Amino acid sequence: MKAKSTNSNGTPMTPSKKVNLLGSDTRPLGFVLSGGGSRAAYQAGVIKALANFIDFEATPISHIVGSSIGAINSLIMAATVKYGYDYAADQLYQLWSERTFKNSFKGSPTSTFLRSVKIAILRYARDPGPHATNDAIFNPEPLVNRINTTIVKHGGTSVESRGPHLKAVGVMTTIEGKERKPLMFVSSHERLSGDMMLGASFEVCHVNELTAQHGFASAALPSVLPPVSLDVDGGTVRFVDGGISQNVPVDPIVRMGAERVLVIDISGRQWWLDRYGESHDKRPDWEVPAALKTFCIRPPETFVLRNQKPFGPLLKEAVGKSTRDFISALGATWPVYTLIKNRLGTELAYEVMSYVALHPAYSEALMELGYNETMDALNQKSEIEFEPILETAAV
């Protein structure tokens, strides 16, 4: 990985030797990977850096849950981690370092551009938000095939084929319909019990094998990617982005059995709430509301890693100096950039596009930042400071 591995003052931040900040604690360890579009490359950098601080042979990952694009990263991890944590991290790095619009989506640039103009004018200009629609700017067939190829090449994600220490893998989705409902696809050694699902805001569908189709059911942001239809209990159900239900699915992974949870949050939610002076517990109107009798099970211990800086300036630095790189990075979405720039200004336009831009230079910058910020956060610590949630919170 081409990470600089330096502190802000230029001094090296790579530890002199590999350490294990978890010590001898072997309680079940879960990874939660949030949604955040193409910012998922940042997660790859964080995951790679964690290998410097956690002995994953002594304390292997026991549970993984992802939402939206985090579900894609989760499935790659689930299929490849049996070959070693470092190997799985390298697979994620390879996936994101090669990403462009051309090798990720199907269709001519002209038709994709026209769909983008149509959606930008007719939908987002009038009423922004992930509203139900059959229209989508992109056809992700090449990327679906790329993910499936990686999963199949490494033996799949089934209980029998993945690493024995990985007890459960979950993908958060949203059922599309007159009333949207959260549903998590789960592949686990044991089915979630009725007691563990008591008060849950989501339903569960147990499957033996999770595929790229499940991942893209979680990543199907309306208007950007098409809904995904999957068979559930003998019937066909349409799914859209899991982030509409739970973008950072901590409660689900605790119900699955994780007792310590590492969260890699690329949503940028805190930045946006701070930007507009809103409370951090405020939820967007378009998120699926939880039923009155639901509640979150508090995780015993949680450690959150999230970007310390907005990604808009990173995108601008990576591709903004070259018109060719800029157009390549935004692809058919540049009409959306233009619309937002005219309404809200350049800074916010870049921040919004940091969720959709695809360019090797941008992905490399995201992975480098994720790696370096994680190194900076953990390099001086003697242990990972998991924090207990003191109160049971409403979903």
Side-chain angles (χ1 to χ4, degrees):
M1 178 173 181
K2 301 176 182 178
K4 294 180 180 177
S5 304
T6 58
N7 291 300
S8 57
N9 62 4
T11 58
M13 53 172 112
T14 303
S16 58
K17 62 179 181 178
K18 209 167 188 177
V19 297
N20 185 16
L21 299 187
L22 294 182
S24 59
D25 193 337
T26 58
R27 286 175 296 159
L29 175 67
F31 267 32
V32 169
L33 304 182
S34 83
S38 56
R39 296 151 67 109
Y42 180 90
Q43 289 178 337
V46 173
I47 287 169
K48 192 169 185 69
L50 285 173
N52 293 292
F53 303 101
I54 298 176
D55 182 352
F56 286 102
E57 291 186 4
T59 310
I61 303 168
S62 60
H63 301 76
I64 304 176
V65 177
S67 184
S68 194
I69 198 64
I72 302 297
N73 282 349
S74 295
L75 294 180
I76 297 295
M77 285 288 291
T80 61
V81 74
K82 64 185 175 185
Y83 296 97
Y85 181 89
D86 289 339
Y87 180 84
D90 287 342
Q91 290 300 304
L92 283 177
Y93 177 80
Q94 182 178 341
L95 171 69
W96 289 103
S97 64
E98 68 187 32
R99 293 272 60 77
T100 66
F101 280 102
K102 187 174 182 179
N103 65 21
S104 299
F105 304 112
K106 183 180 180 180
S108 72
T110 300
S111 60
T112 305
F113 169 77
L114 292 175
R115 286 196 302 272
S116 178
V117 172
K118 173 186 174 183
I119 289 172
I121 295 175
L122 297 182
R123 299 192 64 84
Y124 281 94
R126 297 179 181 179
D127 186 15
H131 304 293
T133 179
N134 289 321
D135 294 328
I137 298 175
F138 299 110
N139 176 353
E141 184 179 330
L143 185 54
V144 173
N145 292 337
R146 168 67 169 82
I147 303 302
N148 258 337
T149 297
T150 299
I151 292 174
V152 172
K153 174 184 175 181
H154 293 89
T157 63
S158 70
V159 173
E160 299 81 12
S161 63
R162 63 176 184 256
H165 298 293
L166 187 53
K167 303 300 183 183
V169 182
V171 169
M172 181 59 65
T173 64
T174 303
I175 298 174
E176 184 67 290
K178 293 182 179 180
E179 181 181 352
R180 286 173 168 167
K181 297 179 180 179
L183 182 141
M184 183 171 66
F185 287 100
V186 177
S187 173
S188 60
H189 288 204
E190 298 179 358
R191 297 176 70 89
L192 274 70
S193 68
D195 288 343
M196 289 306 298
M197 289 300 295
L198 182 65
S201 64
F202 59 95
E203 298 179 4
V204 167
C205 179
H206 288 273
V207 296
N208 186 49
E209 183 95 20
L210 288 164
T211 68
Q213 282 70 25
H214 294 99
F216 279 89
S218 181
L221 182 65
S223 295
V224 178
L225 297 178
V228 174
S229 295
L230 297 170
D231 289 336
V232 177
D233 296 330
T236 301
V237 180
R238 290 206 331 163
F239 294 93
V240 293
D241 201 298
I244 297 172
S245 295
Q246 289 197 35
N247 200 39
V248 189
V250 174
D251 170 66
I253 204 170
V254 176
R255 294 177 185 273
M256 290 165 62
E259 296 183 22
R260 293 168 301 161
V261 180
L262 281 167
V263 180
I264 307 178
D265 181 7
I266 55 168
S267 67
R269 181 170 184 156
Q270 286 196 8
W271 186 88
W272 286 103
L273 292 172
D274 289 342
R275 174 83 184 192
Y276 288 100
E278 301 283 359
S279 170
H280 285 180
D281 61 3
K282 179 179 173 60
R283 300 185 66 169
D285 294 337
W286 45 260
E287 282 193 4
V288 176
L292 292 177
K293 294 184 178 181
T294 61
F295 57 86
C296 283
I297 297 179
R298 62 179 184 267
E301 295 181 347
T302 305
F303 186 77
V304 181
L305 290 159
R306 62 169 60 91
N307 53 299
Q308 300 302 304
K309 303 174 183 178
F311 287 151
L314 192 72
L315 173 62
K316 187 175 183 179
E317 176 66 22
V319 302
K321 298 177 183 179
S322 164
T323 301
R324 180 178 180 179
D325 287 344
F326 177 75
I327 293 175
S328 176
L330 298 191
T333 66
W334 79 259
V336 180
Y337 167 82
T338 302
L339 176 67
I340 297 172
K341 178 183 176 182
N342 291 339
R343 295 183 64 176
L344 301 175
T346 301
E347 179 188 7
L348 288 183
Y350 265 103
E351 194 62 29
V352 171
M353 302 316 291
S354 74
Y355 292 86
V356 298
L358 284 177
H359 190 281
Y362 177 49
S363 295
E364 197 73 48
L366 284 169
M367 289 187 285
E368 181 178 299
L369 182 63
Y371 184 91
N372 288 339
E373 286 192 341
T374 303
M375 296 293 291
D376 196 32
L378 297 178
N379 201 35
Q380 302 303 319
K381 294 185 180 296
S382 60
E383 63 179 1
I384 292 181
E385 298 166 348
F386 288 94
E387 297 181 0
I389 304 298
L390 298 180
E391 297 180 359
T392 300
V395 176

